[in-house]
């Protein structure tokens, strides 16, 4: 009886540790979560996800006048999707990509030149792959608060632009330097992107 | 006897799952590792660590002429140290900060303006806190290959500059937007940084 109790106790303790450990190490899970009226909840821990890249003042419109100050774009992806991409060269279902826009500052503390990132988040956009939920598998959400956002309608330009020019599965992997190498090795670059780069190699 | 065996079996299985889970989720462990002759090994999975910030063309010398093309600096920290910082506002022993320098590209694919990050890593510097190993607790390492690097001698300027101007514990937390907020809340900003910002507020 004592042995049985001891066995059960040890098993219980180990199970509890396992669950506690799992909970402690998985706060950053990227499974997309929605409100009852279909809005996407902002992934709370996206800053602890895997970082893909940063751009500054990027635009596909050369005529667009610059804003009055520079902006950085940081891109993060949920760790599960990142891991799958490194193995397959493409995105699994339930991929969540977060684009965080931050104001750029220039002179501050000892910095005299160039730009660094300020505390203000000026925008948050999320691109979600949820095959059973969205007709085109992917959807965009633009957050104007830190809680939830409505889906951007599928007739908006972002969908066609991503679909036509995204290097992998409607996403701009051509701007994610480490993943671009993976996609090249795995042979997962889209036909559109390959055609674009074969006729006009990317300028430095 | 059967109960005892069963208890031991369950306990063993649970322990094995716990260890397997731990191993699977901790490939990015940031404990600094050295070669037998005291060089720091490059942390292999630093791109999967926690991202802190990116700057472009930053310099504390306004007279320095720009290089012929722009460079981004990305900063990563080992997850254990990041977690400790969010709780305490300062860095624990065995903190490893990695600065990755990447060339900036401008026109490529559909991008016409601003800059995005290219595939070439132009530099890698690591700042390590290892209290028992380094007299000043921290040391810098500049990598010119992807394997290991010698410590930068302690009489170099980087040590005094970080010590005098770093917002938290000789590190430039003033340029890590999310952690700067944490340090303010936890009251861990250095006296030097507080004096600097009270006499000359950072310009936007």
């Amino acid at each position: 009886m004592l042995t049985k109790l001891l066995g059960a106790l040890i098993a219980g303790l180990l199970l509890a540790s396992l669950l506690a450990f799992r909970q402690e190490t998985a706060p950053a899970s990227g499974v997309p979560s929605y409100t009852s009226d279909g809005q996407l909840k902002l992934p709370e821990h996206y800053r602890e996800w895997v970082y893909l890249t940063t751009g500054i003042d990027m635009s596909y419109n050369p005529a667009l006048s610059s804003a009055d100050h520079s902006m950085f774009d940081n891109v993060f992806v949920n760790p599960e999707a990142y891991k799958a991409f490194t193995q397959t060269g493409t995105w699994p279902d339930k991929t969540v990509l977060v684009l965080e826009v931050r104001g750029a500052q220039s002179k501050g503390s000892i910095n005299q030149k160039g730009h660094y990132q300020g505390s203000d988040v000026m925008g948050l956009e999320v691109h979600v792959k949820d095959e059973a939920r969205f007709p085109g598998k992917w959807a965009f959400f633009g957050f104007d608060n830190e809680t939830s956002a409505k889906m951007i309608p599928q007739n908006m330009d972002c969908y066609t632009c991503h679909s036509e020019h995204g290097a992998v599965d409607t996403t701009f992997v051509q701007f994610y330097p480490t993943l671009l190498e993976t996609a090249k090795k795995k042979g997962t670059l889209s036909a559109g992107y390959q055609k674009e780069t074969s006729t006009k190699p990317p300028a430095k």
Side-chain angles (χ1 to χ4, degrees), chain A:
Chain A
M1 185 62 189
L2 187 65
T3 316
K4 197 172 177 180
L5 269 176
L6 198 66
L9 186 67
I10 292 173
L13 281 174
L14 281 164
L15 185 62
S17 327
L18 179 63
L19 291 174
F21 185 78
R22 184 156 206 137
Q23 195 166 29
E24 193 193 339
T25 54
S29 173
V31 176
S33 173
Y34 307 89
T35 61
S36 55
D37 63 343
Q39 296 195 33
L40 180 71
K41 292 184 190 169
L42 182 67
E44 202 181 345
H45 296 285
Y46 76 86
R47 285 280 310 196
E48 293 163 31
W49 287 3
V50 179
Y51 167 77
L52 295 182
T53 198
T54 295
I56 186 166
D57 297 335
M58 289 173 70
S59 174
Y60 45 75
N61 184 351
L64 199 72
S65 66
S66 292
D68 58 349
H69 68 277
S70 289
M71 309 273 255
F72 284 101
D73 291 322
N74 303 320
V75 183
F76 302 86
V77 68
N78 57 310
E80 303 83 352
Y82 175 83
K83 193 174 173 185
F85 195 104
T86 60
Q87 288 162 355
T88 64
T90 192
W91 299 116
D93 192 28
K94 311 294 184 190
T95 292
V96 182
L97 290 153
V98 178
L99 180 85
E100 180 198 72
V101 185
R102 275 188 187 264
Q105 302 196 338
S106 186
K107 292 189 181 175
S109 178
I110 62 164
N111 194 59
Q112 297 295 326
K113 284 179 70 113
H115 292 96
Y116 63 94
Q117 302 196 359
S119 296
D120 293 341
V121 174
M122 321 290 277
L124 274 173
E125 290 170 21
V126 179
H127 194 192
V128 179
K129 186 174 190 176
D130 198 335
E131 297 181 3
R133 192 172 186 100
F134 309 118
K137 295 185 182 175
W138 290 87
F140 290 98
F141 296 83
F143 286 78
D144 51 20
N145 63 61
E146 291 189 359
T147 312
S148 62
K150 284 184 187 166
M151 180 178 157
I152 296 175
Q154 282 193 291
N155 58 355
M156 297 296 282
D157 287 348
C158 46
Y159 291 90
T160 43
C161 183
H162 273 252
S163 173
E164 285 171 12
H165 301 286
V168 177
D169 191 12
T170 81
T171 66
F172 282 106
V173 169
Q174 58 263 57
F175 302 126
Y176 308 159
T178 55
L179 296 191
L180 179 58
E181 299 306 305
T182 307
K184 282 179 183 168
K185 279 180 201 151
K186 303 281 183 186
T188 52
L189 293 169
S190 69
Y193 174 74
Q194 288 191 68
K195 195 176 163 197
E196 212 170 71
T197 47
S198 66
T199 50
K200 194 186 71 174
K204 279 244 171 177

